[in-house]
Amino acid sequence: MKNKIFKNSISALTLLFTVIGLAQNKSSNTVSLDVYYSKIQAEKNPQIIDARGPEEFALNHINGAVNFNLESKDYEQQLAKLDKTKPVFTYSIGAGRSVWLADDLLKKRF
């Protein structure tokens, strides 16, 4: 049941990741939906960040994801909760917020 809910959440976000794939400023850390799903499944407790706004997050999100981005008031506190020894998965509607967040995480040695 849990796996089905996760797959449904992923399916609902397919359109979102399609936009990422078509973005002009595509990050080297941007991957296809299939690769993203496989990498999350390979992790015991994946660190998933939904970089969209709180309203968008409330509508739908990947189970287990936390919601914050570079513009969040508690950005530094949220970062402090992450384990730098494990991968961090980010996503948003377009490549904008999640790529900026991923780039900032890389600069901070995540």
Side-chain angles (χ1 to χ4, degrees):
M1 177 73 177
K2 191 175 183 181
N3 193 26
K4 184 176 180 179
I5 292 170
F6 184 76
K7 283 186 178 181
N8 287 342
S9 294
I10 292 291
S11 296
L13 294 169
T14 299
L15 178 59
L16 304 179
F17 290 104
T18 301
V19 173
I20 290 173
L22 298 174
Q24 289 180 345
N25 296 326
K26 190 173 177 181
S27 168
S28 62
N29 292 313
T30 301
V31 297
S32 70
L33 179 59
D34 291 337
V35 170
Y36 188 86
Y37 179 73
S38 296
K39 288 182 177 282
I40 287 175
Q41 289 296 100
E43 291 295 317
K44 186 174 182 177
N45 292 308
Q47 301 182 110
I48 308 168
I49 302 172
D50 183 322
R52 300 176 300 157
E55 301 81 20
E56 296 166 301
F57 182 81
L59 291 173
N60 193 2
H61 59 273
I62 296 173
N63 290 337
V66 294
N67 180 230
F68 67 92
N69 60 50
L70 290 171
E71 297 174 348
S72 299
K73 292 178 184 178
D74 63 346
Y75 179 69
E76 293 300 326
Q77 292 86 358
Q78 292 287 356
L79 284 185
K81 296 177 186 177
L82 298 174
D83 181 348
K84 285 189 173 187
T85 66
K86 295 173 54 180
V88 178
F89 302 91
T90 65
Y91 70 94
S92 65
I93 290 177
R97 290 175 283 190
S98 61
V99 170
W100 295 330
L101 179 58
D103 288 345
D104 190 58
L105 290 170
L106 287 170
K107 288 177 190 173
K108 293 179 175 166
R109 300 193 178 270
F110 281 88

